[in-house]
Amino acid sequence: MLAGANSSRNDVMVFANARAVRDKLLLGFFMLVLPAAAPPLSRGDEGMYLFNELPTELLKQRYDFEIDQAWADHLRLSSVRFNSGGSGSFISSDGLVLTNHHVAADTLHKLSTPERDLIRDGYLAKTPEDEIRAPDLELNQLVSIEDVTDRVNAAVTAGADAETALKQRRAVMSTIEQESTEQTGLRSDVIALFGGARYHLYRYRKYTDVRLVWAPETAAAFFGGDADNFEYPRYNLDATIMRVYEDGKPAKLEHFLAWSDEPLQENDLVFVSGNPGRTQRIFTTDALVYLRDVRLPYLLDFLRRKEVLLQQYSLGGDEERRRGRDELFGIQNSRKAYSGMLEGLQDPRTMAEKRGREDRLLAALEQNEELKSAQAAWKEVAQIQTEKAALLRQTASLRSDLFDLAQRIVLLTEEDLKPNDQRLREYTDSGRESLLQSLLSEAPIYRDLDQMKLADELGRFAELRGGDDPLVAELLVGKGPRQRAAELIAGTKIDDVAFRKSLIEGGRTVTLASDDSLIALARLLEPEYRRLRELSEQLDERERQAYAKITAATTAIEGTGGYPDATFTLRLAFGTVKGYEEDGKRIEPTTVIAGAYEHAQQHAGQEDFDLPASWMENKDKVDLQAQLNFVCTADIIGGNSGSPVVNRKGELVGLIFDGNTQSLTSDYLYTDEQARAVSVAATGIKEALRSIYGATELADQLGR
């Protein structure tokens, strides 16, 4: 099951927010904030293309398909990005939005109570009044793209060192975003592309009144559980429908996707419009070795630790199981995905292919006097990996929901004292509305769960830095992690929204004077947090500059593949509905609803293969031959979860929800020999709504 996207700023702070682990993986917030660089020449259906630079000639040549600008604009404006991670699409004129159940799971978790477990039991709003508002969800619709490369580059002094260049680049990007937001009222983000060779300004319309309309039970949405995760064939209804509102009424939309009722056939051409989180296809061999030997094992150790912690918490009872389920699911999913990615990097053939291409490229550079000096960039990247490894185990943050809120408030009140163009990126004026929505969310935080997580984090902090570290001593004040965590949670009011608001409005003076235990803790860690962040961002800047040189040299020798690495911004991918061979067996590209019932019978007695009562009670009403899932060769990665899949006419035919096991190396290597994107079929969603969930009126609205 693919993830959503929450990004950390660097390797040191890869776990800035434990709740973000729920976003289930492949990009998660573990991604590096490096500019996207040009990957090698594309193969097969490889490519995550910019909407302002679509592969028109390639599609015409390969599939006899001509992209009409109106077709592309309509698809772009019908697509949305979830701030919680993931993608979605508008599917009706009155604001309906389709995404995955696992993308919506964070919202379902926040809306659940001991008496109303929406993740387990699902939900259907029978009237508009029954649609439940999400506490802090934001959807982004990409309105326009503007090239601002010249302005960004002009602001950076030629030959500037990494520290100076970072400050100059950050300042001009913040200024551009602020000016755009003030002029248009739209969310404005400057995105680095092609190794920092180009910068685009993305403007988004924001929808912050988002309400739940329908969600199936987890037993249907994640049918097969961990055993079937990243496998195929699949029989999942990983879908959820929400609705965006404006001024308290369902939004009236000009752009939304028509719904196709036609079953897909093998070799049908399809398109995916979504927000892939990050790829690393430009990475040098040394960078991949760092991932293989240092960073991914570190992440997996963290995930295994947190998995055991949450499993122990969930043994406390039904309510504890409900409270911890969403985060546990995300951690387990992430652990399995990262294990697959590491396995791919540990396959000698992967490194051999990367090293062989790199050796050929470096040999070509050696023969070219004008490009020969670019070889130094590869050495610079290698040195940076060594420095990143040294920083990785240092930390100045704790993965606890309550501490995360305290730390962000402390940082915000300090950043507010600075000119906008000198602030940390996430605290600039252009993103303030979104930041405040997150900080002032009414979503529940469970003190018992957070205390358990904080105790584990304090213990881990001491393990990483050493028990005699002065900061560890200040943090624990002579107490054990569990005792200290209990004391800290007992002494905080951060879970009170009104208290958080008073701190934000009071500014730095109030936060400095506050005796709240977690605010005091955040103040204690703030200097070290800023020190490590500055070091990490300087490494990022050096790496940015090195990859810009590598990109230029690679393009000069090989040409360009036509798309930059992923940046959690809207991209278009394409491919065909296509089966594959696995272990000598033919895997057909589509499954039907009947297969879910057969699969459940084959695995009788295994809880993860128990279909919900709604499916069993309505079996006689269902068209068992309706397509349920399918695979295609489109190039996707984490963040594409919830992406619409459309046909040549631009009609919705499916909903991306996963990749198979063979696709887990797509971060750094694309292949369509066996790797496949997995989708819920549009026909299966509509059939389930009508015949299983009795949601005929909702089904009638789809695509209208």
Side-chain angles (χ1 to χ4, degrees), residues 576-688:
T576 58
V577 177
K578 189 176 182 180
Y580 57 100
E581 295 284 333
E582 183 177 32
D583 299 330
K585 298 179 181 179
R586 162 73 176 173
I587 306 298
E588 295 298 328
T590 63
T591 66
V592 296
I593 292 177
Y597 291 100
E598 294 167 3
H599 213 47
Q601 186 173 6
Q602 291 168 1
H603 295 273
Q606 295 177 249
E607 184 178 354
D608 286 340
F609 294 89
D610 289 340
L611 286 168
S614 60
W615 282 59
M616 302 308 296
E617 293 167 0
N618 294 292
K619 182 178 179 180
D620 292 342
K621 302 176 183 177
V622 179
D623 178 1
L624 296 176
Q625 296 309 307
Q627 283 183 356
L628 184 54
N629 294 165
F630 68 90
V631 291
C632 69
T633 60
D635 189 2
I636 66 161
I637 198 69
N640 275 120
S641 286
S643 298
V645 185
V646 302
N647 58 20
R648 290 173 179 259
K649 298 177 182 178
E651 300 169 330
L652 189 133
V653 296
L655 172 67
I656 293 287
F657 76 91
D658 208 351
N660 63 1
T661 300
Q662 295 88 339
S663 73
L664 291 177
T665 58
S666 292
D667 276 36
Y668 39 83
L669 178 67
Y670 170 87
T671 173
D672 61 7
E673 181 180 352
Q674 289 184 310
R676 294 292 184 270
V678 188
S679 299
V680 188
T683 52
I685 295 171
K686 183 176 281 190
E687 178 61 22

Side-chain angles (χ1 to χ4, degrees), residues 144-158:
S144 68
I145 306 171
E146 178 184 341
D147 193 325
V148 294
T149 304
D150 291 344
R151 184 174 176 187
V152 173
N153 288 341
V156 180
T157 304

Side-chain angles (χ1 to χ4, degrees), residues 245-515:
Y245 279 67
E246 290 184 301
D247 300 322
K249 298 178 181 178
K252 297 302 179 183
L253 303 175
E254 177 183 356
H255 295 279
F256 59 92
L257 298 177
W259 196 280
S260 173
D261 293 322
E262 294 297 320
L264 288 160
Q265 305 296 323
E266 185 153 25
N267 298 318
D268 280 354
L269 175 64
V270 293
F271 301 86
V272 177
S273 176
N275 298 273
R278 60 91 178 89
T279 51
Q280 301 165 336
R281 295 174 189 174
I282 191 60
F283 271 26
T284 67
T285 304
D286 287 308
L288 292 181
V289 168
Y290 166 74
L291 288 178
R292 182 193 66 192
D293 296 345
V294 180
R295 186 163 173 262
L296 286 178
Y298 172 84
L299 297 178
L300 284 167
D301 284 346
F302 172 86
L303 291 169
R304 295 183 189 111
R305 178 183 185 129
K306 297 306 178 185
E307 183 176 2
V308 172
L309 179 76
L310 286 167
Q311 286 173 335
Q312 290 298 310
Y313 174 79
S314 298
L315 293 175
D318 290 342
E319 177 59 11
E320 285 80 4
R321 187 179 302 111
R322 184 192 70 80
R323 292 179 178 186
R325 178 174 50 204
D326 184 43
E327 191 170 345
L328 176 60
F329 169 77
I331 286 171
Q332 290 174 326
N333 199 55
S334 299
R335 182 257 305 155
K336 186 169 184 178
Y338 277 99
S339 296
M341 292 166 62
L342 180 59
E343 183 178 350
L345 282 175
Q346 290 172 336
D347 186 335
R349 293 171 296 181
T350 301
M351 284 298 183
E353 180 172 342
K354 282 286 184 179
R355 197 178 300 276
R357 174 181 173 268
E358 185 171 287
D359 288 345
R360 290 190 295 273
L361 178 60
L362 290 171
L365 293 176
E366 180 68 29
Q367 302 303 314
N368 189 317
E369 289 299 324
E370 293 182 1
L371 299 174
K372 193 173 182 179
S373 62
Q375 296 176 86
W378 273 263
K379 296 179 181 179
E380 173 72 353
V381 170
Q383 174 60 33
I384 289 168
Q385 308 315 304
T386 301
E387 295 178 41
K388 286 198 298 188
L391 276 176
L392 186 60
R393 295 181 64 82
Q394 298 186 49
T395 181
S397 191
L398 304 167
R399 273 63 60 185
S400 141
D401 292 339
L402 292 173
F403 177 78
D404 174 68
L405 287 167
Q407 185 172 59
R408 288 195 290 158
I409 289 171
V410 167
L411 291 170
L412 170 64
T413 57
E414 173 64 21
E415 293 302 296
D416 277 350
L417 300 177
K418 303 175 183 178
N420 184 66
D421 63 1
Q422 295 178 24
R423 297 176 193 166
L424 298 175
R425 289 278 289 158
E426 63 268 38
Y427 297 101
T428 58
D429 289 341
S430 62
R432 190 174 189 85
E433 184 179 349
S434 298
L435 175 63
L436 292 180
Q437 181 180 355
S438 172
L439 290 176
L440 300 176
S441 169
E442 297 278 357
I445 298 175
Y446 303 105
R447 281 187 166 233
D448 63 331
L449 174 57
D450 213 59
Q451 180 174 318
M452 187 175 185
K453 291 193 293 186
L454 183 58
D456 184 67
E457 280 296 295
L458 291 170
R460 184 171 178 271
F461 190 96
E463 291 173 23
L464 290 172
R465 298 184 67 105
D468 294 330
D469 182 89
L471 189 56
V472 171
E474 287 189 79
L475 195 68
L476 293 178
V477 294
K479 301 179 177 67
R482 292 178 63 180
Q483 183 182 1
R484 179 63 170 144
E487 179 181 79
L488 288 165
I489 295 300
T492 188
K493 297 187 293 183
I494 285 292
D495 51 345
D496 183 340
V497 177
F499 178 65
R500 298 201 296 268
K501 186 175 182 181
S502 71
L503 290 172
I504 294 169
E505 292 177 347
R508 190 64 173 179
T509 301
V510 172
T511 59
L512 287 175
S514 175
D515 61 357

